[in-house]
Amino acid sequence: MADWISDKGLQTTTGPRGAGRRWGLVVDLDKCTGCGGCVIACHAENNLALAGPIDTDQGRSFDWIRIERYWEGEYPDVKAQFIPVMCQQCEAAPCEPVCPVFATYHTAEGLNAMVYNRCIGTRFCENNDPYNVRYFNWFEPALNWPDPLPNQLNPAVSVRSRGVMEKCTFCVQRIRDHEEQARIEGRVLKDGEFTTACAQSCPAKVLIFGDLDDPASAVSQLVQSDRRFRLFESLGTEPVVYYLKGGQG
Amino acid sequence: MGMIVHPPELYPDEQINQDVLRPVFVTTWRWWILVAISGGGFMAGLATWFYMMATGMWVTGLHRPVMWGLLISNYVFWIGLSNSGTVISAMLRLSKADWRRPITRAAEAMTVFALLIAAQFPLIHLGRTWLFYYILPYVNQRLLWNNFRSPLVWDMMAIMAYLGGSMLYLYLPTLPDFAILRDHADGIKKKMFTLFALGWRGTRGEWTTLNACILSLALLVLPVAVSMHTIVSWDFGMTLVPLWHTSIFGPYFVIGALYSGMALVITIILILRWAFGWQRYITPYHLDKLGKIMLVAGLVWFYLWFNDYVTSWYGKLPEEKIIFDLKNAGTYYWWQITMMLANTMVTLPLLAFKKFRTSPLAMFILTIFINIGMWIERLLIVVPSLVEKGPSFTWTTYHPTWVEWMLTVYPLAGFMVLYLLFIKIAPLISVWEIREDKVAYATKKMGQAELRAVVAE
């Protein structure tokens, strides 16, 4: 097999594969207003197919990141709680071992990767996904962008075809882009040099993206907080998306 | 009781040949009508499948997070049906139960055809059916391999092993009958049966080899059948999905398969008995015996079901309780009640009575109800767990569309087509085994005494 998969040393020196890093995301729920900016940014960045009101109602929309809204308390003392949910990039991802064709697998840098060309659409991964963050292409997505919308597609992201599964990639195209840039300039990647589309567009800076293995990074500092928790932690899926909750106000 | 088990001396060989071989050579208008109806259903189902492939999976009622629905329920149901035929035949052969003779062929054929139907469902429900071969471990330039950790890969291998085994297990015992057909046929049919009979002459050596082959195959195919259905259960058991993730699913699926499959075996032999006037071959005695096996399977099935039920009830794990309540107090309450009535509460007590077990009409109705119950059981395993799993924000309901209902009719119609065609190429009662029985039980005068002519080894 090619060395860039097996040889970690080779990866860090020459390959753009970013081993030695462990990407993570922190979501500060105490700041989230549920504005939905991250959802829009994700749609624009990742060429998510559009779904009309009927298909959205039928659960066939594409929201690699979605704002879940929960009501707390009894009327009239009700309060809306917002929680942005995206692929948790679990370190022990239950969706991976069930795929019969290796269309989804774990990369050296802790990403739960999706190979669209390899996917045959058994949809087993979404069954075994406790977070329901995998999205199946029920339609031919290319037909979903009326003119001139095809012109706004992001050339760095492939447009998926009908019959395959897709999900949040932690904007892997941005990771690769900046790694490449840093390599050309002969320097190491700086923390906060780039971020995911959702984090970039969040007005309240709810989402912070970075390398969990770099002790100096913003995410590493934030996950030390006592406010931290992870979704369905008892399942042992080891997500790398950390939520913060429980501050004043 | 006056039930005749071995009535050999009443039937000369010619009579047996006549009775059993007639359907192969004589085609009635009833056969044509059945072929037209089931063939129509089959073609309509096939057209629906191609329509779904051409337009996309949105034509089904599936949506996030209900990724598997009616199609996978049908898959599990038909795999279950396929389980029993070979199993019952192999068990009876190995235990040298002589009463098996008139029912083995019909049961073995049922396994092969139900499996051929069931094996299509994993393909039907794929998002990109045309790339199904990615799941096979074939050598390719890019060194891409399939994922041997996935239960779906085990599933694919189990289906292939069981299909191969049960096809061989259907073919081998039919070999001497193909030779009989060859000797009775002419024209194109003679050519066909000559090919199928592989030059069978019926020498002593051939018989010895054939019997050894059938018995060893029976021994080999039993564990394959058990593993086959255990692996199907692992498609569910190996996941994190509430109420799927349980260790009882292996034996529970195997026995459920035996239960529903036994019911179908009885339904089929009753239809054959009525259609071809085989009352002399398939007697209430057989129904009684098969009914007892089915009763045991049903009781064990209920025992395992109850184990699973009561442990998830007392466990009260939050995510499991949600699904448990859906089945017992929510959306699927009436489905659950119907299932319980159809395959347990009414059926099992009735099966305990010999009067019911030996009545063809009662057994026909009972077995149909058992399979309706078992179909609902598969639905209740697959669907509720997916409807309300994960974050409550994503919970949903599931309503199958006409496409999925068409693809529920499709396997039934397809199974009927295959079975009807098989009637034309092989006798559904094993001629040589009936004759063997006759010889084995014949008596001979030896002086004053009347002794068995042949002593079983």
Side-chain angles (χ1 to χ4, degrees), chain B residues 10-259:
Chain B
L10 296 178
Y11 307 131
D13 285 355
E14 262 322 293
Q15 178 76 38
I16 297 176
N17 283 356
Q18 276 262 317
D19 286 350
V20 179
L21 300 185
R22 195 181 61 239
V24 181
F25 295 111
V26 181
T27 305
T28 62
W29 58 269
R30 286 191 303 195
W31 186 85
W32 282 111
I33 286 181
L34 280 175
V35 167
I37 293 172
S38 53
F42 178 72
M43 294 312 285
L46 214 56
T48 313
W49 180 8
F50 279 95
Y51 166 71
M52 190 169 79
M53 258 197 270
T55 37
M57 293 300 286
W58 63 271
V59 296
T60 66
L62 299 169
H63 55 262
R64 180 170 42 85
V66 189
M67 290 287 161
W68 291 1
L70 215 53
L71 297 180
I72 294 294
S73 313
N74 288 336
Y75 165 64
V76 180
F77 178 69
W78 282 91
I79 281 279
L81 291 178
S82 78
N83 188 60
S84 263
T86 297
V87 167
I88 187 71
S89 160
M91 285 192 314
L92 296 178
R93 264 187 222 281
L94 289 172
S95 60
K96 294 194 160 76
D98 274 326
W99 60 270
R100 69 163 196 276
R101 293 167 194 277
I103 56 167
T104 47
R105 176 76 42 79
E108 289 152 13
M110 180 195 91
T111 286
V112 173
F113 300 143
L115 199 54
L116 280 173
I117 292 297
Q120 295 176 31
F121 275 97
L123 306 183
I124 291 177
H125 102 290
L126 285 183
R128 303 204 291 172
T129 309
W130 48 96
L131 295 176
F132 77 94
Y133 58 89
Y134 282 5
I135 209 170
L136 302 170
Y138 65 97
V139 180
N140 62 84
Q141 198 183 13
R142 298 178 186 188
L143 295 175
L144 290 171
W145 211 241
N146 58 0
N147 182 3
F148 281 106
R149 297 175 303 168
S150 169
L152 289 185
V153 170
W154 313 338
D155 214 5
M156 178 269 296
M157 293 188 288
I159 291 176
M160 286 182 166
Y162 193 45
L163 189 59
S166 54
M167 274 175 145
L168 208 54
Y169 190 68
L170 170 67
Y171 181 65
L172 277 185
T174 319
L175 202 57
D177 281 1
F178 281 138
I180 299 174
L181 286 168
R182 171 195 62 196
D183 300 340
H184 281 72
D186 44 21
I188 183 100
K189 280 205 161 177
K190 183 159 189 107
K191 280 205 177 115
M192 183 176 83
F193 290 127
T194 310
L195 188 69
F196 289 170
L198 300 178
W200 177 270
R201 286 167 301 150
T203 62
R204 192 190 159 83
E206 280 177 351
W207 280 112
T208 316
T209 313
L210 183 74
N211 277 322
C213 283
I214 291 174
L215 280 185
S216 36
L217 200 57
L219 205 58
L220 286 171
V221 86
L222 275 177
V224 177
V226 172
S227 75
M228 161 85 250
H229 223 70
T230 308
I231 286 169
V232 171
S233 85
W234 287 346
D235 286 347
F236 304 96
M238 297 288 173
T239 67
L240 273 177
V241 179
L243 292 195
W244 280 11
H245 184 66
T246 160
S247 58
I248 209 162
F249 263 19
Y252 174 67
F253 271 51
V254 172
I255 203 73
L258 189 64
Y259 186 35

Side-chain angles (χ1 to χ4, degrees), chain B residues 236 241-246 249 252-253 301 305 308-309 312-313 319-340 376-388:
Chain B
F236 304 96
V241 179
L243 292 195
W244 280 11
H245 184 66
T246 160
F249 263 19
Y252 174 67
F253 271 51
W301 175 85
W305 179 87
D308 190 35
Y309 181 86
S312 47
W313 183 15
E319 60 269 29
E320 288 197 350
K321 191 177 180 301
I322 293 159
I323 313 297
F324 186 85
D325 287 348
L326 263 185
K327 292 190 198 179
N328 292 289
T331 325
Y332 297 95
Y333 175 70
W334 285 108
W335 288 97
Q336 173 118 322
I337 294 288
T338 315
M339 174 195 86
M340 270 291 125
I376 296 174
E377 187 242 359
R378 272 56 183 256
L379 193 73
L380 286 176
I381 288 172
V382 176
V383 176
S385 288
L386 296 177
V387 170
E388 295 195 353

Side-chain angles (χ1 to χ4, degrees), chain A residues 26-246:
Chain A
V26 172
V27 186
D28 192 339
L29 295 179
D30 291 329
K31 291 183 188 167
C32 181
T33 60
C35 70
C38 50
V39 180
I40 303 298
C42 183
H43 269 261
E45 170 78 14
N46 289 305
N47 300 341
L48 297 195
L50 306 174
I54 295 168
D55 296 325
T56 305
D57 194 40
Q58 286 177 345
R60 288 171 181 161
S61 59
F62 293 86
D63 312 287
W64 285 6
I65 182 169
R66 62 170 182 254
I67 308 287
E68 296 186 359
R69 186 184 59 199
Y70 294 100
W71 296 103
E72 260 180 21
E74 291 292 318
Y75 180 82
D77 189 22
V78 286
K79 204 174 153 195
Q81 296 285 352
F82 302 104
I83 171 166
V85 178
M86 70 301 293
C87 172
Q88 308 287 302
Q89 313 282 349
C90 310
E91 288 181 31
C95 54
E96 288 167 7
V98 296
C99 176
V101 292
F102 278 122
T104 187
Y105 72 103
H106 227 66
T107 67
E109 63 207 304
L111 294 178
N112 171 247
M114 191 63 218
V115 188
Y116 306 123
N117 285 341
R118 184 69 176 161
C119 178
I120 55 175
T122 66
R123 308 190 291 288
F124 204 174
C125 52
E126 164 58 22
N127 279 348
N128 208 18
D129 162 15
Y131 307 98
N132 298 340
V133 286
R134 292 181 150 265
Y135 298 85
F136 183 70
N137 281 278
W138 307 95
F139 308 91
E140 188 61 74
L143 305 174
N144 267 353
W145 292 285
D147 268 336
L149 284 181
N151 297 328
Q152 56 84 47
L153 294 177
N154 183 354
V157 179
S158 53
V159 170
R160 283 74 61 186
S161 66
R162 171 164 68 81
V164 306
M165 198 56 91
E166 58 178 68
K167 60 165 209 51
C168 166
T169 61
F170 269 2
C171 287
V172 67
Q173 67 281 3
R174 293 187 175 205
I175 299 176
R176 294 286 169 268
D177 211 30
H178 286 84
E179 274 175 346
E180 194 81 342
Q181 197 58 40
R183 202 160 61 88
I184 291 167
E185 292 167 13
R187 59 179 175 83
V188 283
L189 209 54
K190 292 193 293 281
D191 182 49
E193 179 180 335
F194 74 100
T195 187
T196 58
C198 52
Q200 185 185 15
S201 65
C202 180
K205 297 271 171 280
V206 170
L207 302 143
I208 294 110
F209 177 77
D211 181 5
L212 288 168
D213 273 357
D214 172 6
S217 72
V219 281
S220 294
Q221 304 293 321
L222 282 166
V223 297
Q224 308 295 327
S225 164
D226 329 332
R227 295 189 295 143
R228 78 164 201 180
F229 73 96
R230 293 185 287 180
L231 289 186
F232 301 141
E233 211 157 356
S234 64
L235 292 175
T237 53
E238 302 293 326
V240 293
V241 176
Y242 288 85
Y243 289 87
L244 305 178
K245 174 83 181 158

